[in-house]
Amino acid sequence: VVSVAASALAARYLARPDSAVLAVCGCGDQARAQACALVDVLPIERGFAWDIDPGRAIAYAAEMSTALGLPFQAVPSLREATRTADVIVTCTTARTAFLSESEVRPGTFVAAVGADNPDKSEITPALMARAKVVADVLGQCVVMGDLHHAIAAGAMTADAVHAELAEIVCGARPGRQSDGEIIVFDSTGTAIQDVASAA
C-alpha cells in the first residue's frame, strides 16, 4: 500500500500532466494496485502489460481492462509496452536490469518500485545516469534499489540524484521542468511510510 501511494504522489509531481499511456512491467499483485493508483492521479486512456511470463500479462490485461474500464493490451516484448508509454511502472522481482535507454522515450516518467533489496535491479545504470532521478529516501536508495546498482557501476554518484520526493512535495526542489525530461522515481519503501500507513 505504501509504495503504491508513493508512486501515485510521485506521478502527480513528476509525470507530464497529459500522460495518457501506461506501461506495466511485471504483472503480479503489486502491479494491480500500482495501475489503479496511477489511473487515479493521471488521465490514463490505455495501458500495456508485459511480464516475463506471457500468460500472466494476458490475464492481467484482461482483469485491468474490466476493473479500470480502460483498454489494456498484453504485449510479448518489453519495447512494445514501453516505447509509446508516457508512464512506466516496473514492479518485478528481477535481479538483472532490463529497462534501458532504448526502451524509454523522452518525457517518460518511470516508477521503479521492484528493487527493494540490494540484489534486485530493474533500471540499467545508463538509463539512471541519463534520467533525472528522484529517490524516496536517498540514504536507503544508495544501499539498495536501482541507484545502488548505478553507483556500483560507476554510472552516477549519490550527488547526481536530483531530490528526494519529500523535497519535491514541499517545494524545496523543482519537479518536472520540461516535457522532454525522463524522470525515474527510485522507490525502495521506508519504515516511516509503513508507520504512517498503519496509523
Side-chain angles (χ1 to χ4, degrees):
V1 173
V2 176
S3 66
V4 171
S7 295
L9 184 62
R12 183 177 292 164
Y13 284 88
L14 303 174
R16 296 194 329 273
D18 62 348
S19 295
V21 182
L22 170 65
V24 177
C25 305
C27 296
D29 291 337
Q30 176 75 206
R32 288 160 171 79
Q34 291 283 340
C36 291
L38 291 168
V39 165
D40 194 49
V41 298
L42 294 171
I44 301 298
E45 297 175 357
R46 62 192 175 105
F48 293 98
W50 173 82
D51 193 282
I52 196 167
D53 178 350
R56 291 183 73 177
I58 291 169
Y60 175 88
E63 179 183 337
M64 298 313 293
S65 293
T66 300
L68 298 175
L70 300 172
F72 262 78
Q73 178 184 352
V75 291
S77 75
L78 175 67
R79 188 178 178 85
E80 286 179 84
T82 62
R83 192 58 192 165
T84 59
D86 303 307
V87 176
I88 301 168
V89 58
T90 58
C91 41
T92 74
T93 57
R95 293 179 179 270
T96 301
F98 59 84
L99 188 66
S100 66
E101 292 178 273
S102 65
E103 280 107 22
V104 181
R105 66 178 181 168
T108 302
F109 167 67
V110 180
V113 303
D116 56 5
N117 72 52
D119 295 324
K120 294 182 181 178
S121 178
E122 298 181 311
I123 315 300
T124 64
L127 176 54
M128 291 288 288
R130 178 185 172 192
K132 173 185 279 186
V133 176
V134 174
D136 56 359
V137 177
L138 179 58
Q140 185 164 287
C141 289
V142 167
V143 297
M144 65 176 71
D146 290 296
L147 177 60
H148 164 73
H149 295 286
I151 292 172
M156 63 184 294
T157 65
D159 290 341
V161 173
H162 173 68
E164 290 186 337
L165 180 58
E167 294 177 295
I168 304 287
V169 173
C170 75
R173 298 283 292 163
R176 175 173 292 276
Q177 293 174 284
S178 77
D179 285 346
E181 288 179 307
I182 294 173
I183 302 181
V184 173
F185 174 53
D186 192 8
S187 177
T188 53
T190 67
I192 190 63
Q193 290 175 337
D194 289 338
V195 171
S197 179

